[in-house]
Amino acid sequence: MRIVVAAKWDAGLTIVIVGGGHAAGQAAASLRQEGYDETIVVVGDEPHLPYQRPPLSKEYLAGEQGLERIHLRPQKFYADRDIEVRSGVRVSAIDRARNTVICDDDTTLAYDRLLLATGSRPRRLDVPGCDLAGVCLLRTIADADSIRDKLKAGAKLVIVGGGYIGLEVASVAVQHGLDVTVLEMEERILARVTTPAMSAFYHRLHTGKGVTIRTGARAAAFAGNGRLAEVRCDDGTSVPADLAVVGVGIVPNVELAEEAGLACDNGIVVDERAGTADERIYAAGDCTNHPNPLLGRRLRLESVPNAMEQSRVAAANMAGGERTYASVPWFWSDQYDLKLQMVGFSTDAEHEVVRGDPDEEAFATFHFRGDTLIAADAVNRPREFMVARQLVGRTVDASRLADPTTDLKSLLSG
């Protein structure tokens, strides 16, 4: 199915946006907010309006949220603002010499400015049996629909990868009555993104809910007669499985940019304005490798806030403005009735203090380098998280942060 929200095609400038996620949808809306009144065309290869991906492993997968709720904006929004959305159309090539994109429906679109918001895709686990029925990836609405149809009470689910996606799926599945096992090749879950203490907290949380977690366990093969029956590990053990969800990271979609001769290095290389080396082409979201002056290094972030803010910057600059992107990264994850909110990178810290009680499942951990707060992780503590976002990068008295009687607003004013 293809969705086409028609727009006016008057003579004048045209901005083409390639993508169908947060960055693409936000860029189109931001262009109109910036006062850009020429032609905007959004081209996405999925048969949907631009949509949110986080609910796919949470509320949407659990059946608590319908399709219309995960659309960034309804069809009427684009029609009212003369934004053309071509869903179910794949851009197959960029012709930089002619300033055009070639689509798989045999159309060619000319652009004055082009935004690549191509996102990313799940990393495949290239082992024997990876193509068996019952072995799933999760990135799209179609993926989530397929997995949700298989979440039957009593079924055996094996999740390969103990990162955010895997653990969010585990929390949904075990509450649906499935027998859930998580296989994580590292020595702890969430090893890439958080501290050992936070990993231990979430390990206890999941096992307390009935999830089996095996760390130091690498999936070596999927086995079954035409359909998945077990997951075999490299230590010779196996886990029975009716369904497997592989969540071992993502790969940025840079092929269009690479084939067009744009610089790519773990993402499409952009500057602080979201611009590439081609002055007509910008990029935003998961697919970009961008500089962060606040952290003093380049990053590629798999983050909704990054996609939204970077696309706003790109839109402002494509519309003729002059804006730069400089933001401390933040993230979140919903598992069971707990919301984990993180700002900064705790892996860069030298020491930490805790406010609240992990045993009560409501606490915040503040991470320091010297006297400077560089990151914070908050579990069911939204107030502490909001204050931490404003304090990151500042000298803070760690003992006052840890003291539950301290008025957090006094730290902001200080």
Side-chain angles (χ1 to χ4, degrees), residues 87-409:
S87 297
V89 178
R90 186 175 66 87
V91 172
S92 54
I94 302 167
D95 187 334
R96 289 171 56 193
R98 295 181 173 83
N99 298 323
T100 60
V101 296
I102 297 91
C103 302
D104 67 352
D105 63 353
D106 296 325
T107 60
T108 298
L109 300 175
Y111 64 82
D112 297 280
R113 296 290 183 270
L114 173 66
L115 176 67
L116 300 178
T118 49
S120 55
R121 61 187 182 277
R123 188 182 303 278
R124 295 187 63 84
L125 194 60
D126 189 16
V127 299
C130 62
D131 294 326
L132 277 174
V135 179
C136 304
L137 301 172
L138 177 55
R139 186 64 179 176
T140 67
I141 288 172
D143 294 336
D145 287 343
S146 177
I147 294 170
R148 186 170 59 183
D149 289 343
K150 299 177 178 67
L151 295 183
K152 308 297 184 183
K156 297 182 183 300
L157 167 64
V158 174
I159 296 171
V160 181
Y164 293 135
I165 296 297
L167 296 179
E168 288 167 0
V169 172
S171 70
V172 171
V174 77
Q175 291 178 97
H176 277 65
L178 279 77
D179 180 347
V180 182
T181 299
V182 175
L183 302 178
E184 170 53 56
M185 63 182 289
E186 302 291 344
E187 293 307 310
R188 59 185 175 93
I189 57 173
L190 299 173
R192 188 173 65 91
V193 295
T194 194
T195 64
M198 192 63 77
S199 293
F201 171 82
Y202 273 92
H203 192 118
R204 292 192 301 272
L205 173 69
H206 281 276
T207 55
K209 300 289 188 181
V211 177
T212 299
I213 298 177
R214 290 181 53 185
T215 56
R218 184 189 298 269
F222 300 99
N225 185 16
R227 171 168 288 280
L228 179 68
E230 63 179 8
V231 180
R232 296 174 180 170
C233 300
D234 63 354
D235 62 0
T237 62
S238 63
V239 183
D242 302 302
L243 173 67
V245 175
V246 177
V248 292
I250 66 173
V251 178
N253 293 325
V254 300
E255 290 77 9
L256 266 180
E258 281 185 328
E259 292 167 6
L262 297 173
C264 296
D265 180 10
N266 185 31
I268 303 169
V269 175
V270 297
D271 60 21
E272 66 279 359
R273 300 177 66 255
T276 70
D278 186 322
E279 64 180 7
R280 292 179 178 269
I281 302 179
Y282 294 74
D286 289 7
C287 64
T288 66
N289 180 322
H290 61 276
N292 187 304
L294 301 179
L295 300 177
R297 61 182 186 263
R298 297 189 70 89
L299 301 169
R300 186 180 65 79
L301 293 175
E302 302 158 16
S303 156
V304 169
N306 168 69
M308 301 287 275
E309 184 55 32
Q310 195 179 34
S311 64
R312 291 187 183 103
V313 169
N317 294 327
M318 288 189 295
E322 188 63 39
R323 193 177 300 176
T324 59
Y325 178 47
S327 178
V328 177
W330 65 276
F331 316 84
W332 83 88
S333 176
D334 294 323
Q335 298 170 44
Y336 306 104
D337 57 351
L338 303 187
K339 179 177 285 293
L340 170 62
Q341 296 170 291
M342 299 149 286
V343 59
F345 295 115
S346 60
T347 51
D348 294 341
E350 297 170 344
H351 62 98
E352 63 188 40
V353 296
V354 178
R355 180 185 178 104
D357 187 353
D359 289 339
E360 295 180 0
E361 298 183 348
F363 65 99
T365 305
F366 301 95
H367 306 276
F368 288 82
R369 184 186 296 125
D371 295 330
T372 302
L373 180 68
I374 65 167
D377 305 324
V379 175
N380 279 7
R381 284 294 185 97
R383 188 161 179 260
E384 279 82 352
F385 173 72
M386 294 304 295
V387 170
R389 285 188 62 191
Q390 298 176 70
L391 291 176
V392 164
R394 292 169 54 177
T395 299
V396 183
D397 185 333
S399 63
R400 293 186 66 200
L401 259 183
D403 184 352
T405 67
T406 299
D407 180 0
L408 293 174
K409 289 183 179 178

